[in-house]
């Protein structure tokens, strides 16, 4: 398991619900990739032994259970499809394999929400996962995650994102 970033732990009481589910999703998807464990096994482990529990003196927030389970199962089951969508946003010489494993987990979870969770606004998905990237990384990764997710949202949620609109929703055609 990847350790929860310090900033996410500091926000744990406020970060209940879907925000906590997103952090847990990234951790679970990372574990699935690194260990090869089945998604259901990792989900059960997280819910039984990590979520809402104290580990090594750190209190882990309880995630929104349904959102966590749905996102991890869907992202794991459709990983190849989601990786192809993300790969289409990468520069020519880059591949999913070149990305850090945590970045891959972030992008898979976010792509899953963009593709399979129409009840969650695209801008919320982008903002939440960029904040997670900032909690895990201090380099260029958050900007990369932002760009990739913005591109994916425009493709997967074109109507919601608005044709010709920038990230703030303003028309570029003015």
């Amino acid at each position: 398991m990847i350790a929860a970033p310090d900033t996410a732990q500091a926000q744990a009481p406020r970060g209940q619900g879907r925000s906590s589910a997103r952090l847990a999703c990234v951790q679970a998807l990372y574990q699935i990739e690194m260990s090869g464990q089945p998604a259901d096994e990792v989900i059960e482990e997280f819910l039984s032994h990590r979520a809402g529990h104290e580990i090594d003196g750190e209190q882990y927030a309880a995630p929104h259970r349904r959102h966590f389970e749905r996102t991890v199962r869907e992202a794991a089951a459709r990983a190849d499809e989601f990786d192809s969508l993300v790969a289409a946003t990468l520069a020519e010489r880059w591949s999913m394999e070149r990305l850090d494993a945590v970045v891959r987990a972030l992008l898979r979870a976010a792509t899953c929400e963009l593709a399979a969770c129409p009840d969650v606004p695209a801008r919320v998905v982008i903002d939440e996962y960029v904040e997670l990237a900032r909690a895990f990384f201090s380099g260029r990764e958050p900007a990369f995650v932002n760009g990739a997710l913005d591109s994916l949202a425009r493709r997967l949620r074109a109507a919601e994102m608005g044709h010709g609109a920038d990230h703030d929703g303003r028309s570029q055609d003015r």
Side-chain angles (χ1 to χ4, degrees):
M1 177 177 93
I2 52 176
D6 291 337
T7 56
Q9 284 302 312
Q11 297 174 1
R14 183 181 66 84
Q16 298 287 331
R18 284 191 177 184
S19 293
S20 296
R22 289 180 179 103
L23 172 59
C25 286
V26 171
Q27 293 172 318
L29 291 170
Y30 176 89
Q31 182 173 331
I32 289 166
E33 180 177 346
M34 294 294 109
S35 70
Q37 291 174 275
D40 285 336
E41 188 177 301
V42 173
I43 289 168
E44 178 59 33
E45 179 183 329
F46 265 77
L47 294 175
S48 297
H49 303 293
R50 297 181 188 169
H53 294 84
E54 184 177 323
I55 301 172
D56 297 328
E58 297 288 336
Q59 182 66 38
Y60 283 69
H64 184 283
R65 184 182 180 116
R66 191 170 138 244
H67 190 77
F68 169 72
E69 290 176 348
R70 175 175 72 166
T71 305
V72 172
R73 276 195 187 97
E74 188 88 10
R78 297 173 64 185
D80 290 340
E81 174 189 350
F82 295 156
D83 285 359
S84 292
L85 289 169
V86 171
T89 71
L90 300 177
E92 189 174 310
R93 294 186 314 254
W94 279 85
S95 65
M96 286 296 287
E97 294 77 27
R98 283 188 68 187
L99 299 178
D100 181 271
V102 175
V103 172
R104 283 193 303 270
L106 277 160
L107 292 172
R108 286 176 183 144
T111 302
C112 179
E113 285 198 52
L114 289 170
C117 301
D119 59 314
V120 181
R123 285 180 178 80
V124 170
V125 173
I126 294 167
D127 291 344
E128 290 264 335
Y129 284 99
V130 169
E131 284 304 311
L132 279 175
R134 285 186 184 124
F136 282 109
F137 301 100
S138 61
R140 295 181 180 177
E141 291 88 350
F144 168 77
V145 168
N146 185 58
L149 294 182
D150 187 66
S151 178
L152 284 166
R154 288 175 190 284
R155 183 176 320 144
L156 297 172
R157 305 254 193 112
E160 180 182 345
M161 295 298 287
H163 178 71
D166 66 15
H167 185 68
D168 294 327
R170 296 183 303 254
S171 175
Q172 294 176 354
D173 300 328
R174 289 188 228 176

